[in-house]
């Protein structure tokens, strides 16, 4: 029986391929396909439903149902049995459809006379394209072999849909990846950019879903799997026994690569007429659907390993490596599911914009994007499956919107917006050399955050008074190996040269959390953001910190030097670190190096504990800088990288503002210079409120200096303080609505 079905399925695929071959319109092809499938499966009905938009399915062709219903019958995702197949990406097989859970009667189709129903999802590479259904009058459950055969056909229909075999006039049959599409995400970095798509991981294209010669396809599959196994073994060898985590992942890879079940299922798909590539994809889609339902994080990870392995196998089979040989287009806009800070730094300033399907505003990749002043939108769901390399794209980092393949009206409106932003930049340039002084005479020092050599030329143009935060770890992240001391000396000296006497606050290495150095063994920590990071690493492994301090002292070479320690949580951490500086200074002097003309040593305030440190701490430290990104995540117990929780808590929340105010008061009492260098310092409204509660020094990305200065110069802090106080008295949770209302009334 199985043998018979196998040849039957191959025959059907052969007939499908013939149906594809002619120069026929998409609709005619789809009609032909439904009649072929109905005929060869011995069913009265076969229908194809395709997505018309993200959540509407449309009947696009049918054999057996009322023809008038074609392109008329539509259902929402999840609606009826067809909608259920699409939403859950799983097979529905029932002998008695009208009695099945979720059945929805569509009178125009005339389907009430058909009892049994079998629906399978049409999908490829995690992208749901539609649903394929067969129905018959007799009440019977379809056999496992029949279900399998229909899944094989659905795989071919998916590949053909992707290749544009069914393109017609109707919206549901429009060519894929050709229509304008808009994505709404979250603002990661403001600014607007127009350019062309550059996919971080290009999609594999399969042009031959059906194969005549199963023997040859089996050989191809076996050859590719062998290559894959050798590759995984090699990776394991390179990883060695040092790195337990990496080894575990690779062992899981090896297990899958050698899995008999995986291989058998792919071979079976080939015996049923699929090409090796389509067989791999079929398995991958099934695993993908399973992944959507699994909640156990370990299992999810393993399924995603399998997904990764399938992608590798597809690349081997199609010869489409990660490097497809495609040239990066002019004005590239990077599209990725997610990306780490080190990978992003490799692209560097070449990029005009970045759009991530996942990602988060608080991540260090986002900070790198901000440092590079590249517009960034995160959480643009489905964009990596919709965009193709080279597509025209516009990124609106102000609104968190992305326009893919925009039509003319969007293009012209967007270009107007770019021109408006450019005009604003010019306005900011005109106040560059004016002080950041409010209408009631408060003068603020605005500084810039930096971390890349490339940032430094922006210092004179940004209107900043100096560098309030130089993130030294970025230099470590861009390399493949630990930089040598001599390299660091040269680099820090260049930074000081470029600053032309303006103060640069060098923050010692803040590694750990999501800033993982590629050449350092990652630690298996359940919660890295609260783990062994920053000063904790520096104090436990003083070698690197000492080397960095030596490099800074030598780079200063008689000039003033300012050093800041990250993530200090209690007084003794600061004292030990400071002693390290003193000892290093003494040793450098003994070695005959010129010492800095002056040295200031401060810390970041990133943990609530430090705000309540003994008063002595405030007296001993030369200055403090509030790292609002970390401080806020620990204050609200809300992961800065988890968009879902991060967005719940407003910086202008009364509790948080009161907390900052407390820090300002303690610093005023002890006379400790205080600044704020988290991302909020670069947001004009937030910056204004920080100024209102007493901060007089803010450090931000260079592109923010203009907008922040411009708003400060138009505001009266005394009035704003009253607005904030009134909102507090009214018991409001956040002062933002009141502040925004006040700004509007001021015409700001
Ligand atoms: C902060 O936490 O606010 C900060 C400036 O440090 P980073 O973002 O590099 O952790
Ligand atoms: Mg921090």
């Amino acid at each position: 029986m199985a043998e018979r079905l196998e040849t039957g399925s191959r025959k059907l695929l052969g007939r499908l391929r013939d149906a594809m071959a002619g120069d026929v319109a998409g609709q005619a092809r789809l009609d032909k396909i439904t009649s072929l499938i109905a005929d060869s499966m011995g069913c009265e009905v076969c229908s194809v439903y395709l997505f018309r938009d993200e959540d509407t399915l449309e009947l696009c062709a049918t054999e057996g149902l009322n023809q008038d219903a074609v392109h008329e019958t539509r259902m929402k995702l999840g609606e009826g049995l067809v909608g259920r197949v699409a939403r859950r990406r799983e097979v529905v097989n029932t002998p008695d459809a009208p009695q099945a859970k979720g059945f929805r009667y569509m009178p125009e189709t005339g389907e009430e006379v058909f009892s049994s129903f079998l629906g399978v999802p049409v999908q490829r590479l995690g992208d749901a394209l539609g649903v394929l259904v067969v129905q018959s009058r007799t009440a019977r459950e379809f056999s496992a072999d029949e279900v399998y055969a229909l899944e094989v056909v659905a795989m071919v229909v998916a590949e053909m849909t992707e290749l544009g075999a069914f393109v017609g006039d109707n919206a549901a049959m429009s060519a894929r990846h050709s229509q304008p599409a808009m994505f709404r995400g979250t603002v990661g970095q403001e600014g607007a950019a127009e350019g062309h798509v550059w996919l971080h991981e290009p999609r594999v294209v399969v042009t031959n879903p059906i194969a005549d010669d199963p023997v040859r396809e089996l050989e191809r599959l076996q050859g590719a799997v062998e290559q894959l196994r050798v590759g995984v073994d090699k990776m394991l060898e390179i990883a060695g026994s040092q790195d337990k985590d990496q080894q575990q992942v690779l062992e899981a890879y090896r297990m899958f690569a050698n899995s008999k079940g995986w291989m058998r299922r792919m071979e079976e798909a080939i015996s049923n007429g699929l090409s090796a590539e389509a067989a791999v994809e079929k398995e991958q889609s099934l695993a993908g659907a399973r992944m959507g339902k699994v909640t156990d994080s370990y299992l999810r990870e393993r399924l995603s390993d399998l997904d990764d392995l399938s992608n590798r196998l597809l690349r081997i089979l199609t010869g489409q490596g990660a490097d497809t040989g495609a040239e990066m287009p002019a004005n590239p806009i990077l599209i990725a599911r997610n990306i780490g800070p080190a990978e992003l730094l490799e692209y560097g300033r070449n990029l005009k914009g970045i759009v991530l399907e996942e990602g988060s505003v608080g991540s260090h990749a986002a900070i790198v994007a901000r440092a590079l002043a590249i517009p960034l939108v995160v959480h643009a769901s489905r964009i990596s499956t919709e965009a193709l390399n080279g597509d025209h794209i516009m990124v609106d980092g102000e609104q968190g919107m992305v326009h893919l393949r925009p039509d003319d009206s969007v293009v012209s409106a967007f270009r107007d917006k770019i021109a408006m932003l450019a005009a604003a930049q010019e306005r900011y340039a005109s106040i560059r050399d004016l002080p950041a002084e409010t209408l009631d005479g408060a003068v603020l020092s605005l500084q810039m955050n930096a971390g890349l050599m490339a940032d430094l030329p922006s210092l004179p143009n940004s209107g900043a008074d100096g560098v309030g935060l130089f993130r030294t770890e970025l230099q470590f992240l861009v390399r493949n190996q630990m930089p040598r001391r001599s390299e660091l000396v040269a680099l820090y000296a260049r930074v000081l040269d470029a600053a032309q006497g303006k103060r640069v606050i060098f923050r010692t290495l803040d590694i750990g959390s999501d800033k993982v150095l590629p050449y350092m063994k990652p630690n298996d920590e359940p919660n890295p953001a609260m783990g062994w990071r920053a000063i904790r690493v520096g104090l436990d492994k003083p070698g690197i910190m000492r080397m960095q301090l030596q490099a800074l002292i030598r780079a200063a070479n008689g000039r003033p030097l300012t050093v800041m320690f990250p993530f200090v949580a209690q007084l003794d951490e600061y004292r030990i670190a400071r002693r390290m500086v003193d000892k290093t200074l003494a040793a450098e002097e003994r070695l005959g190096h010129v010492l800095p003309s002056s040295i200031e040593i401060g810390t970041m305030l990133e943990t609530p504990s430090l705000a309540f440190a003994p008063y002595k701490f405030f007296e001993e430290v030369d200055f403090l800088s509030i790292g609002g990104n970390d401080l806020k995540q620990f204050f609200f117990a809300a992961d800065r990288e988890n968009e879902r929780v991060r967005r719940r808590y407003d910086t202008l929340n009364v509790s948080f503002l009161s907390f900052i105010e407390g820090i300002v008061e303690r610093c005023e009492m002890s006379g400790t210079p205080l600044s704020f260098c988290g991302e909020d310092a670069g947001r004009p409204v937030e910056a204004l409120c920080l100024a209102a509660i007493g901060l007089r020094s803010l450090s931000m990305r260079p592109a923010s200096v203009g907008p922040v200065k411009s708003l400060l110069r138009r505001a009266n802090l005394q009035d704003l303080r009253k607005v904030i106080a009134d909102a507090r008295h009214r018991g409001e949770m956040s002062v933002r609505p009141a502040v925004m209302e006040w700004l509007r009334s001021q015409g700001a």
Side-chain angles (χ1 to χ4, degrees):
M1 167 78 175
E3 180 76 8
R4 194 173 56 75
L5 257 164
E6 220 169 71
T7 40
S9 159
R10 271 221 304 279
K11 244 192 230 146
L12 169 58
L13 292 197
R15 288 168 76 192
L16 282 183
R17 197 197 22 220
D18 295 342
M20 291 301 121
D23 186 13
V24 203
Q27 185 68 52
R29 273 207 185 111
L30 213 47
D31 293 343
K32 178 94 183 135
I33 283 186
T34 49
S35 88
L36 276 178
I37 298 173
D39 176 44
S40 85
M41 293 200 56
C43 297
E44 286 97 340
V45 176
C46 172
S47 313
V48 174
Y49 298 81
L50 295 175
F51 276 98
R52 182 183 170 83
D53 56 49
E54 216 179 305
D55 49 22
T56 316
L57 284 150
E58 180 171 306
L59 175 66
C60 285
T62 184
E63 169 70 32
L65 295 185
N66 194 344
Q67 287 301 323
D68 293 342
V70 172
H71 298 306
E72 295 299 326
T73 293
R74 293 186 191 143
M75 65 257 320
K76 290 278 169 216
L77 195 62
E79 189 186 349
L81 297 184
V82 173
R84 190 168 114 198
V85 174
R87 162 164 286 166
R88 300 210 183 165
R89 292 167 65 194
E90 70 183 14
V91 173
V92 171
N93 180 6
T94 168
D96 190 359
Q99 289 308 313
K101 190 167 154 244
F103 176 79
R104 198 182 142 235
Y105 177 47
M106 303 273 186
E108 72 279 13
T109 62
E111 67 177 339
E112 64 277 14
V113 294
F114 301 105
S115 187
S116 40
F117 174 103
L118 170 61
V120 300
V122 176
Q123 55 185 332
R124 102 170 273 269
L125 299 178
D127 196 7
L129 306 177
V131 176
L132 179 61
V133 175
V134 288
Q135 290 170 278
S136 70
R137 271 176 211 272
T138 29
R140 66 178 182 103
E141 190 153 333
F142 289 89
S143 71
D145 284 336
E146 285 172 311
V147 173
Y148 191 81
L150 196 64
E151 281 179 332
V152 166
V153 174
M155 191 66 243
V156 174
V157 172
E159 298 293 0
M160 288 172 163
T161 311
E162 180 74 15
L163 290 174
F166 309 127
V167 172
D169 298 337
N170 177 278
M173 292 179 63
S174 60
R176 293 196 31 84
H177 312 293
S178 67
Q179 293 295 306
M182 193 194 77
F183 301 84
R184 205 178 287 277
T186 305
V187 177
Q189 149 76 13
E190 289 82 0
E194 175 176 3
H196 295 95
V197 168
W198 181 251
L199 293 169
H200 185 50
E201 289 168 326
R203 284 156 68 77
V204 171
V205 182
V206 173
T207 49
N208 60 335
I210 305 172
D212 304 315
D213 185 353
V215 178
R216 200 179 103 67
E217 291 304 307
L218 278 177
E219 280 169 10
R220 288 183 64 229
L221 178 71
Q222 279 151 3
V225 169
E226 194 44 44
Q227 206 176 320
L228 181 76
R229 285 178 187 153
V230 172
V232 172
D233 286 348
K234 225 183 244 151
M235 288 196 287
L236 257 165
E237 229 170 76
I238 295 169
S241 56
Q242 305 271 316
D243 187 337
K244 286 266 171 319
D245 283 347
Q246 205 184 346
Q247 219 184 1
Q248 252 184 13
V249 172
L250 289 172
E251 288 290 359
Y253 271 26
R254 177 146 75 178
M255 196 185 78
F256 283 124
N258 287 293
S259 152
K260 291 211 174 66
W262 188 46
M263 195 67 195
R264 186 178 35 72
R265 289 192 299 274
M266 291 191 291
E267 285 171 352
E268 202 179 330
I270 289 177
S271 311
N272 278 282
L274 289 185
S275 68
E277 289 87 338
V280 175
E281 272 196 33
K282 182 172 181 304
E283 263 309 293
Q284 192 178 16
S285 289
L286 283 181
R290 247 175 271 146
M291 189 144 83
K293 294 184 195 90
V294 169
T295 47
D296 180 278
S297 65
Y298 177 79
L299 273 181
R300 279 182 72 86
E301 262 175 45
R302 295 290 78 88
L303 281 167
S304 104
D305 289 345
L306 181 59
D307 193 49
D308 194 30
L309 211 61
S310 305
N311 280 330
R312 279 168 197 263
L313 196 52
L314 279 175
R315 292 193 192 289
I316 296 174
L317 279 166
T318 56
Q320 300 166 18
D323 177 9
T324 55
E327 279 212 5
M328 196 182 257
N331 300 321
I333 304 233
L334 185 79
I335 308 280
R337 270 214 245 169
N338 210 347
I339 194 164
E343 284 171 303
L344 196 53
L345 281 165
E346 262 176 47
Y347 283 107
R349 277 182 205 278
N350 288 337
L351 301 175
K352 284 280 166 290
I354 305 164
V355 184
L356 302 180
E357 197 158 310
E358 297 164 8
S360 105
V361 172
S363 72
H364 284 96
I367 287 173
V368 169
R370 265 171 239 141
L372 296 170
I374 300 173
L376 164 73
V377 172
V378 298
H379 274 208
S381 89
R382 294 187 64 250
I383 190 147
S384 66
T385 46
E386 188 57 49
L388 290 185
N389 259 345
D391 277 351
H392 186 199
I393 183 169
M394 296 180 136
V395 180
D396 184 344
E398 306 288 312
Q399 305 290 329
M401 307 259 272
V402 180
H403 304 278
L404 184 65
R405 303 181 287 264
D407 59 29
D408 291 349
S409 60
V410 172
V411 170
S412 76
F414 195 84
R415 288 191 179 145
D416 287 348
K417 181 162 192 164
I418 292 182
M420 240 171 60
L421 290 175
Q425 285 306 327
E426 263 172 42
R427 270 203 315 281
Y428 299 143
S430 70
I431 57 167
R432 195 178 57 201
D433 299 321
L434 300 177
E437 184 174 359
T438 62
L439 292 178
D440 51 331
V443 180
L444 277 92
S445 167
L446 303 188
Q447 292 155 60
M448 63 175 254
N449 294 346
L452 303 170
M453 207 41 224
D455 291 331
L456 272 306
S458 0
L459 182 53
N461 297 331
S462 67
D465 300 331
V467 177
L469 167 65
F470 190 89
R471 290 184 165 100
T472 59
E473 61 277 4
L474 296 189
Q475 292 298 334
F476 284 68
L477 278 167
V478 286
R479 286 158 206 257
N480 297 324
Q481 55 191 35
M482 180 78 82
R484 287 199 303 273
R485 186 177 53 200
S486 56
E487 288 175 296
L488 290 181
V489 174
L491 181 100
Y492 299 150
R494 285 216 309 279
V495 172
L496 288 170
D497 292 346
Q500 298 172 358
K502 289 185 172 169
R503 187 166 85 144
V504 178
I505 302 183
F506 287 99
R507 179 175 76 177
T508 61
L509 268 190
D510 182 4
I511 46 169
S513 191
D514 68 333
K515 291 185 268 195
V516 182
L517 301 185
Y519 42 87
M520 256 178 88
K521 191 167 120 11
N523 279 289
D524 186 12
E525 292 188 304
N527 196 342
M530 293 202 264
W532 196 56
R533 58 176 282 201
I535 192 72
R536 300 170 182 179
V537 181
L539 296 181
D540 294 354
K541 293 239 177 268
I544 304 179
M545 189 146 109
R546 204 174 298 120
M547 189 261 279
Q548 209 186 6
L549 291 172
Q550 287 167 337
L552 286 167
I553 294 166
R554 291 181 199 179
N557 193 23
R559 291 178 278 194
L561 177 64
T562 313
V563 179
M564 174 161 72
F565 295 113
F567 217 64
V568 170
Q570 58 181 14
L571 171 59
D572 76 332
E573 288 169 343
Y574 168 69
R575 283 187 174 156
I576 301 170
R578 178 152 203 151
R579 261 205 305 278
M580 260 173 86
V581 180
D582 292 337
K583 275 193 189 158
T584 314
L585 280 168
E588 287 295 289
E589 191 168 29
R590 278 199 301 279
L591 288 170
H593 292 289
V594 183
L595 296 189
S597 57
S598 63
I599 185 150
E600 285 177 281
I601 304 171
T603 79
M604 301 273 294
L605 196 155
E606 300 176 278
T607 62
S609 64
L610 203 62
F612 303 102
Y615 187 67
K616 201 93 191 98
F617 165 73
F618 290 84
E619 287 179 337
E620 284 180 27
V621 76
D622 292 337
F623 65 90
L624 280 173
S625 187
I626 297 176
N629 308 337
D630 275 314
L631 188 63
K632 192 176 155 197
Q633 83 166 333
F634 297 120
F635 185 77
F636 287 110
D639 188 344
R640 64 192 263 187
E641 289 204 50
N642 179 342
E643 279 304 296
R644 201 175 196 172
V645 296
R646 186 194 67 81
R647 267 184 302 190
R648 292 174 86 96
Y649 306 102
D650 189 356
T651 304
L652 301 187
N653 176 299
V654 168
S655 317
F656 192 56
L657 284 186
S658 304
F659 180 53
I660 306 266
E661 235 171 12
I663 300 170
V664 172
E665 277 162 22
R666 289 199 86 181
C667 286
E668 271 168 5
M669 258 161 60
S670 55
T672 317
L674 175 68
S675 72
F676 189 108
C677 66
E679 297 304 305
D680 285 317
R683 301 193 172 104
V685 176
E686 279 81 341
L688 191 62
C689 292
L690 290 172
I693 61 171
L695 275 144
R696 288 295 172 268
S697 168
L698 303 172
S699 190
M700 60 201 73
R701 61 198 160 93
S704 285
V705 176
V708 168
K709 190 187 279 185
S710 163
L711 187 59
L712 283 170
R713 289 179 57 83
R714 284 177 286 139
N716 182 317
L717 291 187
Q718 273 171 22
D719 293 351
L720 177 58
R721 267 196 290 278
K722 189 164 171 343
V723 171
I724 292 176
D726 289 349
R728 274 173 160 166
H729 281 131
R730 285 196 301 275
E732 283 172 21
M733 184 173 78
S734 163
V735 303
R736 187 178 300 275
V739 171
M740 294 308 288
E741 182 54 42
W742 175 72
L743 282 172
R744 270 191 294 275
S745 73
Q746 305 283 300

